[in-house]
Amino acid sequence: MIFLKTDEEIELMREANHLVGMTQGELAKHIKPGVTTLYLDKIAEEFIRDHGAIPSFLGYNDFPNSLCISVNENVVHGIPSDYVLKDGDIISVDCGTEKNGFCGDSAYTFCVGEVAEDVKALLRATKESLYLGIEKAVEGNRVGDIGDAVQTYCEKRGYSVVRELVGHGIGRKMHEAPEVPNYGKRGTGPLLKKGMCIAIEPMINMGSKNVVFESDGWTVRTRDRKPSAHFEHTVAIRQGKADILSTFEYVEAVLGNNAI
Ligand code: MG
Ligand code: MG
């Protein structure tokens, strides 16, 4: 069942999502060679709690941490650890909060130090495809319009779209109906209605689309071990133009000209 949100509920969701953006901005200050992913997780958990919210990933299906941090060939759902970030790594940082009974969910893939140009191009294309998907997230369109926009853009550049993991509805629960694939055909899938809230989250691989589920029960990585990028926004469906509830403004303020 797809839950439509009232304007008041959407404002509460904006608060939860805004805090995700602030948390990502805080993390952006600390992402550099020599730092462990577990250290970043601790910063995020403290920051979220200090702002009167709960890190919604912590304990979700027994997930052990507050962030999903996926380095290089890891696509999503990486578990923070004592892995020390090194120059040239990329890390997808996926963050969720629950505030006032509503969820926020957003992800950003960061460069650690100097990253190879071809990897930066993958990040740029993934982020761009997110915004192209968001452009289609308006009343009267269908879920397949979003996936088609993401897939067409990325495949034209030689990248591939992960099939096993998809975006999702979001609200009082982090994962609600409908599923929002990053692939699909225009004019197909559930109709987008005003008040629907969805997380759009392209997961784009430099090599083949195939992934492996690691034995830790969470981490998903590319089968060919080539890099993968992940960007995510939570949006509310409106007439004419999607309302982006999460924000990269804090990340981009910290990264300045180095932002992807
Ligand atoms: Mg997420
Ligand atoms: Mg999500």
Side-chain angles (χ1 to χ4, degrees), residues 213-233:
F213 291 77
E214 295 280 24
S215 57
D216 64 12
W218 285 101
T219 310
V220 182
R221 71 158 167 88
T222 58
R223 182 175 289 172
D224 58 16
R225 295 192 183 272
K226 289 184 178 169
S228 183
H230 178 214
F231 286 85
E232 176 180 27
H233 270 315

Side-chain angles (χ1 to χ4, degrees), residues 79 100 124 150 161:
I79 302 173
N100 302 318
R124 254 180 240 122
V150 171
V161 178

Side-chain angles (χ1 to χ4, degrees), residues 57 94 105-107 201 232:
F57 296 176
D94 197 345
D105 188 8
S106 173
E201 50 179 315
E232 176 180 27

